[in-house]
Amino acid sequence: MKKVMVGIVACLSLRLLTGCGEVQKTMKCSRTMNQNGATMDLQYEVLYTDENVDVVKSTEKVTSEDAELLETYRIMVEKQYESYKDIEHYEYNVNIEGNVLISTTNIDYTKIDTSKLIEVDSANGTLIRDGKVKLGTIKSLYSQMGITCEE
């Protein structure tokens, strides 16, 4: 009996010290729309622990038969991401495959320097509080953009 109690106390102590009780969850968000002769498919995967966002992965696709329109979008998206290129843990890729522009991002909020994100764009300050992004804040932002999320 004593060994069992020692084992339980040890496990509980380890859990408290290491945070092993925290489970990372996933929220998936999406929106599809037609705009300016193009179909847009926006997909976001938000990994979070408790109420803090850990990672946001996005895949945004623009499909159009108009190659010039896709090129215009590519230039626009690359300009949008250009100022983030030197920030570690903010990865993005933009390319055109056939008649689809594909933009992907992977932002690791557990490792990224959030103050640099705010330096690059002060609007990031509405998302980041005390170096963290809260799940409720990102849900609200997505909702304002017409993006639907499921946990």
Side-chain angles (χ1 to χ4, degrees), residues 54-141:
D54 300 326
V55 175
V56 174
K57 298 176 184 182
S58 71
T59 303
E60 300 171 332
K61 295 180 181 179
V62 179
T63 304
S64 176
E65 297 300 321
D66 185 343
E68 193 174 311
L69 177 67
L70 289 177
E71 183 61 19
T72 300
Y73 273 120
R74 185 190 65 75
I75 291 167
M76 246 175 37
V77 172
E78 284 184 346
K79 271 189 180 177
Q80 177 185 352
Y81 289 130
E82 188 176 321
S83 53
Y84 295 92
K85 71 180 178 193
D86 294 325
I87 298 178
E88 287 185 54
H89 310 292
Y90 192 112
E91 301 164 4
Y92 67 91
N93 186 43
V94 182
N95 61 23
I96 297 174
E97 295 177 10
N99 64 340
V100 182
L101 176 136
I102 303 168
S103 169
T104 59
T105 61
N106 185 4
I107 307 165
D108 188 340
Y109 287 105
T110 65
K111 297 178 182 174
I112 202 164
D113 184 342
T114 54
S115 61
K116 284 187 180 178
L117 290 177
I118 295 169
E119 276 179 37
V120 165
D121 184 350
S122 61
N124 287 324
T126 61
L127 188 63
I128 300 163
R129 293 283 180 226
D130 298 323
K132 304 243 183 241
V133 176
K134 296 292 183 189
L135 183 64
T137 305
I138 209 159
K139 270 191 210 178
S140 176
L141 175 67

Side-chain angles (χ1 to χ4, degrees), residues 23-27 46-50 52-54 135 151:
V23 176
Q24 190 175 61
K25 296 179 183 176
T26 303
M27 177 176 71
V46 180
L47 305 175
Y48 64 97
T49 305
D50 292 329
N52 293 316
V53 173
D54 300 326
L135 183 64
E151 290 181 58

